[in-house]
Amino acid sequence: MKAGIVGLPNVGKSTLFNCLSSAKAQSANFPFCTIEPNLGVVNVPDPRLETLERLVKPEKVQPATVEIVDIAGLVKGASKGEGLGNQFLANIRETDAIIHVLRCFDNDNIVHVDGSVDPIRDKETIDIELQLKDLETVEKKLEKTGRSARTGNKEALKEQEVLEVVKSALESAKNVRSLELKEEVRLKFIKPLQLITDKPVLYVCNVDEGSAKTGNNYVEQVKNDLTEESAGLLLLAVSTEADINELESFEERQMFLEDLGLEEAGAPKLIRAAYTLLNQQTYFTAGEKEVRAWTIPIGNTAPQAAGVIHTDFEKGFIRAEVISYSDYAHYGSENKVKEAGKMRIEGKDYIVKDGDVMHFRFNV
């Protein structure tokens, strides 16, 4: 799964990307510093994996991961090709979710592309460009669907009705994700269009060091603006996170965080938030050779979860042997869980729960 970091030029996207990944994107004080998107594969922090490693002592440990993409900054007119608009929009369309960075700090030494700090204006600038691009996509689809609808095709008539609702929302400067539509309607008529404003979004308020814990007036403005939009919000002092990353020892990092009144660095919180934003959860396999975290969509059945390991596991699925993480951690080993009668045998209809430790039985 892939999450794209977006925002106006020079709001801290590349610095944030560097905090999240081991890759080092170029970060500088001028617009369009990032032209080609930077890609980093980021481990999802999960203390449960550490516990399983300690109990099982495997040869190898494999955490869950999320791909993070640092995408070029956007400016007004991007939907018409201004700046790096066409390239930006093509890159963001390929992502599964959006991490939208908003500048929420004052600093005369850092240039703002519009000359002043205003996160609501910045948010609207990007929203409007994305909405215009989506409107272009919907209008093209409506033109095609309309021809079938005029013949009396019931399916086309239904699709036309849904697309008209979407078109009206976009023309009213509303993001598609804010529309209250039945999930089956969204999956059938909207998801195939890959509309950018339908993607889940996490707004990251990039604040100064002093506002990292409590926020500031800019953050309050953003919170008030999001009341009608289904979106996540996270406070992060990106430049401070970069400073923390430069410290070599864990102890030094913890002391820095304590001085700021923070329990943990913002980067792990953002990675977990992105994982949740993508509607993902984790199950584990645990053996002497490997302890591994597997990523699956929330609501997956046992055979679907097995298919993430190998398609043959799903095709020939027989049953799943399941241990809840809490039971594994409590009893300390698979054998002791079995002795306590806490291992469950689940069939094809079982909905996998976050943290399940699983073995699959299959036959192909």
Side-chain angles (χ1 to χ4, degrees):
M1 302 297 286
K2 187 184 293 185
I5 302 177
V6 305
L8 290 175
N10 229 28
V11 297
K13 300 185 307 300
S14 295
T15 305
L16 175 60
F17 175 80
N18 288 336
C19 292
L20 295 176
S21 72
S22 57
K24 290 294 179 183
Q26 186 183 4
S27 176
N29 187 22
F30 59 88
F32 302 122
C33 175
T34 301
I35 297 177
E36 292 297 326
N38 296 296
L39 176 64
V41 179
V42 183
N43 292 339
V44 178
D46 195 331
R48 298 174 299 183
L49 196 62
E50 297 169 13
T51 300
L52 290 172
E53 179 183 9
R54 176 174 53 81
L55 294 173
V56 179
K57 297 179 176 59
E59 296 175 13
K60 181 182 176 184
V61 177
Q62 180 65 51
T65 60
V66 174
E67 287 188 353
I68 303 291
V69 191
D70 176 26
I71 298 172
L74 184 71
V75 294
K76 290 178 183 176
S79 59
K80 303 300 181 186
E82 291 294 326
L84 298 169
N86 290 330
Q87 185 171 341
F88 173 97
L89 295 164
N91 292 331
I92 193 174
R93 196 181 293 280
E94 294 173 3
T95 65
D96 301 296
I98 297 169
I99 299 170
H100 186 160
V101 182
L102 295 168
R103 177 171 171 174
C104 294
F105 66 89
D106 293 306
N107 188 330
D108 293 338
N109 295 320
I110 299 178
V111 178
H112 190 290
V113 70
D114 287 328
S116 62
V117 179
D118 186 341
I120 304 305
R121 177 202 60 209
D122 295 353
K123 176 181 177 296
E124 288 176 352
T125 295
I126 287 191
D127 279 350
I128 288 169
E129 296 305 325
L130 301 185
Q131 289 158 4
L132 287 171
K133 200 64 180 178
D134 279 351
L135 186 59
E136 182 183 307
T137 302
V138 170
E139 286 176 339
K140 285 179 180 177
K141 184 63 175 176
L142 261 173
E143 186 178 336
K144 184 178 179 181
T145 304
R147 290 195 291 267
S148 297
R150 285 191 290 274
T151 68
N153 184 301
K154 290 184 179 180
E155 193 71 9
L157 286 166
K158 177 61 179 175
E159 183 174 14
Q160 184 180 45
E161 181 184 335
V162 173
L163 293 176
E164 288 290 356
V165 170
V166 175
K167 180 174 181 284
S168 177
L170 291 168
E171 289 173 336
S172 302
K174 291 183 179 179
N175 291 320
V176 177
R177 75 178 72 88
S178 67
L179 292 176
E180 293 184 6
L181 297 168
K182 292 181 179 178
E183 188 59 23
E184 58 267 28
V185 170
R186 193 178 286 276
L187 286 172
K188 190 170 186 178
F189 299 123
I190 297 178
K191 288 295 181 185
L193 298 178
Q194 290 187 291
L195 298 178
I196 301 171
T197 67
D198 189 39
K199 296 178 186 293
V201 63
L202 172 69
Y203 290 99
V204 175
C205 290
N206 183 10
V207 299
D208 58 277
E209 185 176 299
S211 304
K213 186 176 182 180
T214 58
N216 54 32
N217 289 334
Y218 293 131
V219 175
E220 292 305 312
Q221 291 172 28
V222 175
K223 285 181 180 178
N224 292 334
D225 192 66
L226 295 181
T227 53
E228 294 183 6
E229 186 173 352
S230 179
L233 179 69
L234 189 68
L235 275 172
L236 214 60
V238 175
S239 64
T240 304
E241 293 291 327
D243 291 340
I244 293 172
N245 265 16
E246 293 299 319
L247 298 175
E248 293 184 4
S249 72
F250 174 78
E251 290 74 17
E252 286 179 307
R253 294 182 183 188
Q254 286 303 115
M255 287 177 63
F256 198 136
L257 289 168
E258 286 172 11
D259 288 343
L260 295 174
L262 301 174
E263 293 182 4
E264 70 170 336
K269 287 191 286 188
L270 193 149
I271 295 165
R272 288 196 296 270
Y275 194 68
T276 302
L277 188 69
L278 291 163
N279 199 39
Q280 301 296 295
Q281 65 178 7
T282 300
Y283 79 86
F284 303 100
T285 51
E288 291 181 1
K289 288 191 177 294
E290 181 183 69
V291 167
R292 181 162 181 165
W294 297 90
T295 301
I296 58 170
I298 294 170
N300 261 20
T301 61
Q304 288 173 321
V308 174
I309 299 175
H310 197 286
T311 53
D312 285 349
F313 282 31
E314 182 173 4
K315 291 175 184 175
F317 180 89
I318 299 172
R319 66 178 184 275
E321 297 170 358
V322 184
I323 302 170
S324 68
Y325 166 77
S326 58
D327 284 337
Y328 206 116
H330 176 73
Y331 291 102
S333 73
E334 185 176 313
N335 285 336
K336 288 181 179 178
V337 170
K338 287 179 180 177
E339 289 170 7
K342 294 293 185 177
M343 176 182 279
R344 308 189 311 276
I345 305 300
E346 302 288 359
K348 292 182 178 181
D349 295 330
Y350 176 67
I351 304 297
V352 178
K353 296 178 177 62
D354 186 58
D356 280 348
V357 182
M358 307 183 77
H359 288 301
F360 298 105
R361 303 298 179 186
F362 69 101
N363 183 31
V364 177

